Amino acid sequence: MFLPKNVMLLIRSLHIYLSMFALLLVLFFSMTGFMMNHSEFFGIEKTETAESKVTIPHDLLPAEGAATNEIALAAYFHDTLHLMGEPDTAGAGDDPIHLVFKSPRGRDDIEIARATGEATITHTTKSLTGVLSNLHKAADTGSSWKRVVDATAILLVLISLTGLVLWMTLAKRRTLGLISLAVSVVVCAGVLWIIL
């Protein structure tokens, strides 16, 4: 395989520096993927639950028949009780009012009695391995971490393609590389054929 020297230099540089840049992310996703594959051993599903109660200021509660200000309620819990994560206000119009805050570390389920303003908060906290599993899946992480996951996927594609091109330029080892690639494709296709 012949490519101009400047193209090869660019491909080699891309392969080296993209690999180094993505090293920690590749290690993270490979280790957490292994953990998720053995979730019982690593206790990924283990959680701790606690409950607390607070009274909501009456000015945040709607009058009878009025709509609930979901944004103001969510801001109150975020600012006052420092609940983390994205608020889900789908049940804010119900009676009792339901709010949920979700983050990789767990969730906070809030139930507010309209008449009294008393809120019961159920805190569910995941184990460290559960948090790492959520980060791997980008579950309840928000858009910033999802962009990191997308960028990692793109980096892996580029690293793989530049590595393949570099291998193809090694005349003495090209055949062995193609055989390895063919065996990999056959093994993966065979396993998929069996399980699907």
Side-chain angles (χ1 to χ4, degrees):
M1 181 179 191
F2 176 77
L3 288 171
K5 190 174 181 179
N6 59 338
V7 174
M8 283 306 303
L9 185 61
L10 174 63
I11 290 172
R12 186 174 287 111
S13 296
L14 278 173
H15 185 73
I16 291 169
Y17 293 110
L18 290 177
S19 297
M20 290 307 294
F21 182 77
L23 177 65
L24 288 178
L25 290 168
V26 171
L27 281 172
F28 171 78
F29 284 105
S30 58
M31 290 190 308
T32 52
F34 180 82
M35 285 168 35
M36 289 168 62
N37 211 28
H38 304 279
S39 60
E40 301 84 12
F41 179 78
F42 288 101
I44 285 175
E45 301 303 322
K46 199 181 290 184
T47 59
E48 289 183 10
T49 305
E51 192 173 281
S52 61
K53 292 185 183 293
V54 295
T55 302
I56 307 302
H58 283 287
D59 59 325
L60 288 174
L61 296 172
E64 192 172 331
T68 304
N69 186 342
E70 297 96 341
I71 295 171
L73 270 177
Y76 171 80
F77 283 105
H78 182 267
D79 297 340
T80 307
L81 301 178
H82 310 292
L83 299 186
M84 302 298 289
E86 296 292 319
D88 179 356
T89 58
D94 301 339
D95 189 10
I97 298 167
H98 291 280
L99 296 172
V100 180
F101 282 79
K102 298 177 186 176
S103 73
R105 65 160 177 77
R107 61 185 280 150
D108 295 300
D109 292 278
I110 305 163
E111 187 172 290
I112 307 165
R114 285 181 183 267
T116 63
E118 186 177 88
T120 302
I121 307 168
T122 305
H123 309 276
T124 305
T125 308
K126 291 187 167 282
S127 64
L128 175 61
T129 52
V131 173
L132 294 175
S133 169
N134 277 354
L135 289 173
H136 182 100
K137 298 181 287 189
D140 304 321
T141 57
S143 58
S144 297
W145 183 253
K146 287 180 180 177
R147 287 191 197 100
V148 170
V149 174
D150 289 343
T152 304
I154 292 167
L155 284 171
L156 283 172
V157 168
L158 291 173
I159 290 166
S160 299
L161 292 177
T162 54
L164 183 61
V165 170
L166 289 174
W167 186 269
M168 294 301 290
T169 61
L170 302 173
K172 291 181 179 178
R173 298 180 183 173
R174 186 180 307 143
T175 303
L176 181 59
L178 289 173
I179 291 170
S180 299
L181 179 61
V183 169
S184 172
V185 169
V186 168
V187 168
C188 290
V191 170
L192 286 172
W193 178 266
I194 291 168
I195 65 174
L196 296 177

